[in-house]
Amino acid sequence: QVQLVESGGGLVQAGGSLRLSCAASGGTFSSYTMGWFRQAPGREREFVAAISWSGHNTDYGGSVVGRFTISRDNAKNTVYLQMNSLKPEDTAVYHCAASRAPGTVVLPTREHSYDYWGQGTQVTVSS
């Protein structure tokens, strides 16, 4: 029903930047809360960022606040994650996700609150 495809991952040196993109199709993109999660080998999936359907509300995981910025372009059915000042500990597979929860008061930050997931894109930060 809803397909999410991430792009923009790659290898970058510590201190560098990457911008991830997530293109959505097969659903009403503008009605979804969108989020980014990441998962490193042997670790649970970690909340990174979320954005409301309007783009007016955002939330970030504590480990990325001040360095990452989530945004969306509903006309393009795309959500972005701008990652600056990257650290080796940011190395993970980054997944885009969509939630049917409206997020009118509190944006969802839990994995089970999201209904659709992309396959992920690898981000590797070297020292």
Side-chain angles (χ1 to χ4, degrees), residues 9-13 18 122-126:
L11 175 65
V12 65
Q13 291 187 348
L18 285 173
Q122 177 71 46
V123 172
T124 302
V125 184
S126 65

Side-chain angles (χ1 to χ4, degrees), residues 10-96:
L11 175 65
V12 65
Q13 291 187 348
S17 299
L18 285 173
R19 189 179 76 158
L20 306 183
S21 299
C22 174
S25 62
T28 306
F29 176 79
S30 61
S31 69
Y32 300 140
T33 297
M34 300 297 297
W36 288 95
F37 291 76
R38 65 187 184 186
Q39 188 168 26
R43 298 183 62 184
E44 294 185 352
R45 194 167 294 178
E46 176 189 15
F47 170 74
V48 175
I51 187 167
S52 64
W53 69 268
S54 67
H56 293 166
N57 301 108
T58 59
D59 196 13
Y60 298 92
S63 63
V64 307
V65 64
R67 299 188 298 121
F68 291 9
T69 302
I70 188 171
S71 61
R72 67 191 297 164
D73 186 340
N74 289 343
K76 297 182 178 180
N77 291 347
T78 302
V79 63
Y80 305 95
L81 184 68
Q82 178 67 46
M83 304 184 295
N84 298 326
S85 301
L86 284 162
K87 305 174 181 179
E89 51 263 44
D90 294 319
T91 296
V93 176
Y94 284 71
H95 296 266
C96 174

Side-chain angles (χ1 to χ4, degrees), residues 114-126:
Y114 287 80
D115 304 291
Y116 308 103
W117 293 83
Q119 293 299 306
T121 184
Q122 177 71 46
V123 172
T124 302
V125 184
S126 65

